[in-house]
Amino acid sequence: MVAFLRLALRRVAMMPVMILGIALLVFVVLQFSPVDPAYNALGDSASPEARAAFAEAQGLDDPLPVRYFAFLADLVRGDLGVTVPPSQPVVDRITTAFPLTLQLTLLGLALAIVLALVFGVTSAVYRDRWPDQVFRVLSMAGIALPSFWLGVLLIQQFALNMQLLPTGGYVNPADSFGGWLESMALPAIALALPVAASLARLIRTSMVTELDRDYIRTARGSGLPPLMIVRSALRNALVTPLTVLGVKVGYMLSGAVVIEAIFDLPGMGKLILEGVTGGDVGLVQGTVLTIAIAFLVVNVVVDLLYLLVNPRIRTV
């Protein structure tokens, strides 16, 4: 336990450094935007004098290091600036949009994990038999399907042809939980299937390796129930898939941005599109930074879970 706490504190202590690096990368990249924040805020018809006064007040003409440290100071205070007129705090827009993106990501992740476990374990248990062959073909097809294209197919089939689910829009779970599930079903499926297919292949490979180990042969020879044997092998087999889970969650966070645009969900994807099309550098900067920090936090959490399920790494 002491070794685990030491390694956990080491991971958490690195987070501020990584957040500073993320903030620097996002800030520097967006400095190359062709959009002038002054004219974007004042309008293209603003006079050069008005532009100069606005730039001086906002520090737009300061050297890059000065602007970066001012940006960090605002970030520490939780101030990400305001959107272009009509002016609204960027933090308020993100606070409204990010919970929806988080809901979609977590729902898609839960669905992906369930499908991956079912497909991966079944394929390993029935190795080289017809269930294994079917699931391997399905997993290859799932990996090859882009989420955005899958989303369009789901809308065409289940919303337009069969009229079982809505084509888009969002229902707050506080207003109607059933309506929320209906509005999130197709986006979550589109987001989850490619990830589930990839994880299922990893779980199958890990399970096949574990089922061939000596302790499993000993358990079978001792007459233990098959379910108990599979459960024991699965616990050890999940170590490898868990190492890539953080990357998959990051993929789902970024994929959710595209899926939200397809299904007209008012999440972070809509904010990014709004910022890009409207030339709102501050809004784009705030949303991208929020998603990047969320990805970092998820990876730290997955690292801690990996330490829990794999005691051998605690000695490193």
Side-chain angles (χ1 to χ4, degrees):
M1 180 58 68
V2 175
F4 170 76
L5 290 176
R6 184 174 64 251
L7 288 172
L9 289 175
R10 187 186 306 170
R11 299 289 198 279
V12 173
M14 287 297 296
M15 285 186 64
V17 178
M18 290 186 284
I19 290 175
L20 285 176
I22 291 171
L24 176 62
L25 179 62
V26 172
F27 178 81
V28 170
V29 168
L30 288 178
Q31 297 310 303
F32 294 97
S33 170
V35 177
D36 188 328
Y39 282 117
N40 207 32
L42 300 174
D44 294 335
S45 59
S47 65
E49 292 78 12
R51 189 270 173 205
F54 181 88
E56 182 178 359
Q58 300 295 323
L60 299 179
D61 294 332
D62 292 341
L64 187 63
V66 175
R67 282 183 284 152
Y68 174 64
F69 284 110
F71 167 68
L72 286 182
D74 291 338
L75 184 61
V76 171
R77 294 194 299 268
D79 181 10
L80 293 174
V82 296
T83 63
V84 297
S87 298
Q88 293 177 290
V90 173
V91 171
D92 291 349
R93 299 293 306 277
I94 292 175
T95 302
T96 303
F98 186 70
L100 190 149
T101 300
L102 189 60
Q103 291 171 26
L104 176 58
T105 302
L106 293 179
L107 186 60
L109 179 63
L111 180 59
I113 290 175
V114 170
L115 293 176
L117 286 173
V118 172
F119 287 177
V121 173
T122 303
S123 292
V125 171
Y126 295 95
R127 177 176 28 172
D128 296 330
R129 286 181 274 177
W130 72 263
D132 182 27
Q133 300 296 337
V134 170
F135 287 146
R136 288 170 70 180
V137 171
L138 290 177
S139 65
M140 289 295 294
I143 293 173
L145 284 176
S147 291
F148 66 89
W149 188 63
L150 182 58
V152 174
L153 292 181
L154 291 174
I155 291 175
Q156 179 68 37
Q157 182 62 31
F158 293 99
L160 298 180
N161 293 344
M162 302 177 66
Q163 297 185 355
L164 295 176
L165 295 167
T167 58
Y170 176 71
V171 176
N172 195 308
D175 298 331
S176 171
F177 184 75
W180 174 77
L181 280 178
E182 290 181 354
S183 66
M184 300 292 282
L186 293 183
I189 292 172
L191 192 62
L193 286 184
V195 174
S198 177
L199 285 177
R201 290 180 63 83
L202 288 174
I203 292 174
R204 179 197 178 276
T205 301
S206 297
M207 277 292 292
V208 166
T209 301
E210 288 299 320
L211 290 174
D212 286 339
R213 293 191 185 278
D214 292 337
Y215 76 93
I216 295 295
R217 296 192 185 97
T218 302
R220 286 171 177 160
S222 301
L224 289 179
L227 183 60
M228 184 179 296
I229 294 174
V230 171
R231 185 170 57 188
S232 177
L234 179 60
R235 181 176 180 180
N236 294 326
L238 288 180
V239 173
T240 300
L242 190 59
T243 60
V244 301
L245 186 61
V247 177
K248 296 300 181 182
V249 175
Y251 164 83
M252 297 186 80
L253 273 172
S254 59
V257 172
V258 180
I259 294 297
E260 288 170 359
I262 295 174
F263 289 91
D264 192 27
L265 298 175
M268 298 293 280
K270 185 174 182 180
L271 285 191
I272 291 179
L273 287 176
E274 180 182 327
V276 170
T277 57
D280 193 337
V281 176
L283 184 59
V284 174
Q285 183 173 261
T287 51
V288 171
L289 184 61
T290 301
I291 292 175
I293 292 176
F295 176 56
L296 171 62
V297 172
V298 166
N299 274 273
V300 171
V301 171
V302 171
D303 283 346
L304 297 181
L305 290 176
Y306 184 60
L307 292 176
L308 284 175
V309 301
N310 190 14
R312 290 173 296 179
I313 199 173
R314 301 178 198 173
T315 60
V316 178

